Amino acid sequence: MNLREITGIGTQYVNCCEQWVRYNVVLNSQGLPLVYLHTEQHAILNNRKLHKLVISEIINKLTEDMND
């Protein structure tokens, strides 16, 4: 899978907080994907530990999809 195929807005069910989460994936100047949570996710954005868990789970899922 090409990295450009995963860029854009997506939603994913995240097990660590048991809810659907909206996120955005963009490529930085070096071509590496950056994952940002949508601004609607206040509860996650305000909790640093939960934020890290959610981002990790999203990245893991994207990586699995790329390897399939």
Side-chain angles (χ1 to χ4, degrees):
M1 176 184 276
N2 187 347
L3 284 177
R4 296 211 181 272
E5 293 178 18
I6 65 169
T7 59
I9 297 173
T11 57
Q12 179 177 322
Y13 186 80
V14 180
N15 292 323
C16 64
C17 60
E18 298 179 342
Q19 67 181 11
W20 287 92
V21 175
R22 288 186 68 189
Y23 61 91
N24 190 14
V25 179
V26 296
L27 297 178
N28 70 3
S29 61
Q30 298 163 339
L32 298 173
L34 302 174
V35 177
Y36 296 99
L37 293 183
H38 197 269
T39 56
E40 295 173 350
Q41 312 298 326
H42 299 293
I44 298 169
L45 292 171
N46 292 333
N47 183 334
R48 180 173 277 174
K49 185 176 181 180
L50 183 58
H51 183 262
K52 287 181 180 182
L53 287 172
V54 169
I55 294 292
S56 296
E57 195 167 328
I58 291 170
I59 290 172
N60 286 341
K61 178 64 175 162
L62 291 173
T63 304
E64 287 175 11
D65 291 346
M66 285 179 61
N67 291 333
D68 288 341

